[in-house]
Amino acid sequence: MKYKFHQRDVISILDFERDELEYLFETTDKILDSYIDKKMHLLDGKIIALAFFEPSTRTRLSFEVAAKKLGADVISFTSEESLSISKGENLADTIRMLDNYSDLIVIRHRLEGVAKYAAEIAEKPVINAGDGKQHHPTQAMIDLYTVRKLFGAIDGLTYGILGDLRYGRAATSFIYGLSIFKPKKLYLISPEALRVREEVLELLKNRNIMYEEKYNTEDVIDQLDVLYVTRIQRERFPDPMEYERVKGSYRVTRELVKRGRRELKVLHPLPKVNEIDYSVDASEYAAYYIQAKYGVPIRMSLLILILGGDKL
Amino acid sequence: MKYKFHQRDVISILDFERDELEYLFETTDKILDSYIDKKMHLLDGKIIALAFFEPSTRTRLSFEVAAKKLGADVISFTSEESLSISKGENLADTIRMLDNYSDLIVIRHRLEGVAKYAAEIAEKPVINAGDGKQHHPTQAMIDLYTVRKLFGAIDGLTYGILGDLRYGRAATSFIYGLSIFKPKKLYLISPEALRVREEVLELLKNRNIMYEEKYNTEDVIDQLDVLYVTRIQRERFPDPMEYERVKGSYRVTRELVKRGRRELKVLHPLPKVNEIDYSVDASEYAAYYIQAKYGVPIRMSLLILILGGDKL
Amino acid sequence: MKYKFHQRDVISILDFERDELEYLFETTDKILDSYIDKKMHLLDGKIIALAFFEPSTRTRLSFEVAAKKLGADVISFTSEESLSISKGENLADTIRMLDNYSDLIVIRHRLEGVAKYAAEIAEKPVINAGDGKQHHPTQAMIDLYTVRKLFGAIDGLTYGILGDLRYGRAATSFIYGLSIFKPKKLYLISPEALRVREEVLELLKNRNIMYEEKYNTEDVIDQLDVLYVTRIQRERFPDPMEYERVKGSYRVTRELVKRGRRELKVLHPLPKVNEIDYSVDASEYAAYYIQAKYGVPIRMSLLILILGGDKL
């Protein structure tokens, strides 16, 4: 199985087979069991380039910590540099530069397809740390791994996926990720303007994943094992009044989750702003801080499998 | 004594006892004697998070150098990230993220009390690298250590503390730090608008520290062993004319210091703009460049004592 | 020869003798042959300060990679810090701080002479990573080394140097660098407003370097071994109409280079914007991506020779 990861690009969660993800999760288990508190030297002498054209503190720092815990060095842009690159030279030349300087490139960009384009230019492996509105494969890996840790399996559970399902890349990647497993049912909960795109629904149909679109979490809360929450941004609404009208319905409160099953777990890719009430944070339902703890070990596993070959 | 530092938060210089500071200074002596030019591996595998919500090149870099000389890795925000965090998610979630990613958090923030709040949330130790208008404990440690190196002791000396004593956290922390020792006398020299706050004077009274408030350095220059200079910012004055009227009186010139005792030493936490005339820089009185050299070893000691336990 | 580099400042390519450069190139050959893929530990425990007051992603990252591959740690400013330093404290104090924190300072600044000034203040060696309109010595080293690798020698070749020869520091440094060798002839190709400055021509005369000033590349393309291209910036023209009139003549196209000799190689210090047509990138003529690959090994050599003494 190791050879399937060796020097591989990671562009979309859909590029992965179920057994590949399971191998990644088992590797992550090993890291959490035995290595997370030590500095491993598996990637000594390697250089990881973090090319964040769109800022993301959590994702950037978690890759940086993962790389450093493995002994690798990290290079990255300053804010001003990423801005001036965006305005100046063509992206291909920037990718060539990073390909020249590093052993692996982690890229994040506002625009769809940039990670794939970078992977075509670079000889070194490229990891997509989020681009466009669909793909954030390492976040999906973290989210799936979290479910597996909380429930022992990803299959057979009922999921509510809440928020901006149209433009939110974490939500879309999670849906894509679930389609690789056998969930019992997905409830796709969003306002009209932020419905899941047709191509995603097509994929669910093709893969025989049961789903239903909903406007309200209240209607399904008692059926859910997992409620995956993402933010609804005001700017997405053509009519601001429409945003004001619906925003309350997509806020997760203590009252809401208490109407759920006892086993219900609330996930969120973070950062959250006010889409989850603070009163939920300290409850048994909140799993997003646990989820956040898997960012580093999942990314460590991925870096080891891609760069380190058979050394673990 | 070591156990008193182990995994400890450093929020205010007032949290420290005299013997604790002396232990820290002795550790710093050892580092300067034997280790400063080598890479020590006491903190190999540790990750130090530098969370500077308010920029400070010197303080940030001196923590970074201290950490790296000890073998630790460092993570920090880009300018754009610290800005977007300030606007976006709640501070508690940011602290939880850093707590998750690192072994120790160094924090700097414009607002009073943020370091203490961070320490309450984080399981890992938190060092205050300056918050609000009162607390900058590691700067006070450097300043006290500088006096101890220059004069052999902190007790028994006469200090002039000059500048913005109302809003300047370095000056206030130095006054607090001196209150832990037995100075002969403190002259607190500032314009009316930037007087020491009442609570600081109360503390000096309670600790039986002799002090006197002054408007002019000229009046006391011949009595001082140490003149601690800080900047007076125009923006602090409600009336700009008042600033123009007084600013000359708080500028340290060669003429001024030559009227002092031969042993007089001028300290400044740096960076300075124009509050000390360049002609003073090359004189025997100037001790601020020496003082600056103690930033790294003091912070190395602190990191070792907090994280390294008994390994030195 | 090693002792000539030990703890040396690198301010201008003109500070170097031919045999010194050849020694540097031989060291670079060794690194490329044997070490480029491994982490070397020659500079373990050293700290390199990157003081980029003017942003330059390529140059900064290539120094950072060079330092890290040698085992050194790197400290640098955030964008916001370099800005606030520029506005705040005097440069001398900033240099003293970096001198205190690091073992070598790499500096880049918009203004002429800043690197030299820094070298006068700092006890540690200073490398000029570009200042003012003349000096970028490490870029010239890379460019000369590239020619040597491509043609086996720098002597005896005909060079076209194209673009902004008045304000462009890479072009000027390359001309200076060539003057240390024995080129057959230099064609200096630029619009009237961006002619080579008189002092540079004087130097070429004094060193008996044959040169000719030209307005059009077409006129000389068939005589060139090397065409060194740099960007012409609109802002340099007092009259924007003049820029619009001439810009086409200074763009390198596939048609242009195909009229050159078969051995013709096009160099460019990068980043390029649109001064070279994309159709040239994939041609045999394009040598700028090869040239870019020498940035790290040249800078590794320089760091080793300056800091590492006789350890290679």
Side-chain angles (χ1 to χ4, degrees), chain A residues 112-132:
Chain A
E112 193 87 24
V114 165
K116 194 169 165 47
Y117 176 65
E120 280 159 17
I121 290 165
E123 291 175 29
K124 311 289 169 55
V126 169
I127 297 180
N128 185 358
D131 72 348

Side-chain angles (χ1 to χ4, degrees), chain B residues 43-282:
Chain B
L43 301 188
D44 272 8
K46 301 286 187 195
I47 293 177
I48 311 291
L50 304 181
F52 278 63
F53 294 96
E54 179 188 74
S56 167
T57 315
R58 276 167 195 274
T59 305
R60 186 184 66 79
L61 285 180
S62 101
F63 270 108
E64 183 163 346
V65 169
K68 286 178 170 172
K69 276 180 179 284
L70 294 166
D73 283 306
V74 170
I75 56 172
S76 56
F77 302 144
T78 67
S79 314
E80 199 177 2
E81 285 172 355
S82 74
L83 205 71
S84 87
I85 290 169
S86 306
K87 288 188 298 188
E89 70 172 337
N90 64 81
L91 185 65
D93 275 6
T94 305
I95 299 302
R96 282 186 195 105
M97 167 181 71
L98 297 174
D99 197 35
N100 178 6
Y101 290 169
S102 72
D103 297 287
L104 182 146
I105 301 167
V106 178
I107 194 166
R108 185 177 181 110
H109 203 287
R110 195 174 49 82
L111 295 179
E112 193 88 24
V114 166
K116 194 168 165 46
Y117 176 66
E120 280 158 17
I121 291 165
E123 289 176 30
K124 311 290 168 56
V126 169
I127 298 180
N128 184 359
D131 73 346
K133 56 194 182 304
Q134 291 189 69
H135 296 303
H136 193 352
T138 62
Q139 183 63 50
M141 289 165 181
I142 294 161
D143 301 339
L144 295 169
Y145 183 74
T146 304
V147 173
R148 179 179 170 278
K149 290 289 273 188
L150 292 169
F151 293 91
I154 295 160
D155 297 343
L157 302 176
T158 301
Y159 297 83
I161 296 135
L162 172 68
D164 179 353
L165 307 185
R166 189 158 197 84
Y167 305 106
R169 62 172 80 111
T172 305
S173 286
F174 185 55
I175 296 170
Y176 283 153
L178 289 172
S179 80
I180 301 166
F181 292 84
K182 297 191 181 314
K184 188 170 165 194
K185 185 162 184 181
L186 312 190
Y187 288 106
L188 307 173
I189 311 160
S190 75
E192 188 62 37
L194 302 178
R195 282 312 208 202
V196 178
R197 273 166 298 112
E198 197 52 44
E199 68 202 88
V200 181
L201 298 181
E202 280 304 313
L203 181 117
L204 293 178
K205 281 176 207 154
N206 291 341
R207 296 191 169 195
N208 293 313
I209 307 290
M210 230 188 9
Y211 70 87
E212 199 172 327
E213 296 187 78
K214 289 281 175 190
Y215 292 109
N216 285 300
T217 319
E218 287 84 347
D219 300 348
V220 296
I221 188 73
D222 59 336
Q223 296 174 57
L224 304 179
D225 297 292
V226 173
L227 176 60
Y228 188 92
V229 184
T230 63
R231 198 184 321 163
I232 288 184
Q233 292 177 285
R234 184 192 301 263
E235 306 84 64
R236 296 297 190 196
F237 286 78
D239 177 358
M241 291 303 292
E242 179 64 13
Y243 170 77
E244 294 300 327
R245 202 177 61 77
V246 304
K247 68 175 179 181
S249 317
Y250 299 95
R251 196 151 182 276
V252 175
T253 61
R254 186 97 184 202
E255 290 63 44
L256 177 70
V257 291
K258 284 177 76 170
R259 283 152 59 192
R261 305 175 55 205
R262 260 191 32 189
E263 297 77 12
L264 173 68
K265 293 294 177 195
V266 179
L267 269 65
H268 190 297
L270 301 184
K272 57 184 171 64
V273 177
N274 54 12
E275 57 273 27
I276 299 179
D277 194 84
Y278 294 154
S279 61
V280 179
D281 286 5

Side-chain angles (χ1 to χ4, degrees), chain A residues 294-312:
Chain A
Y294 298 137
V296 171
I298 279 281
R299 286 167 177 135
M300 288 174 75
S301 301
L302 205 53
L303 292 176
I304 291 170
L305 292 174
I306 294 172
L307 287 179
D310 52 1
K311 280 186 275 180
L312 190 67

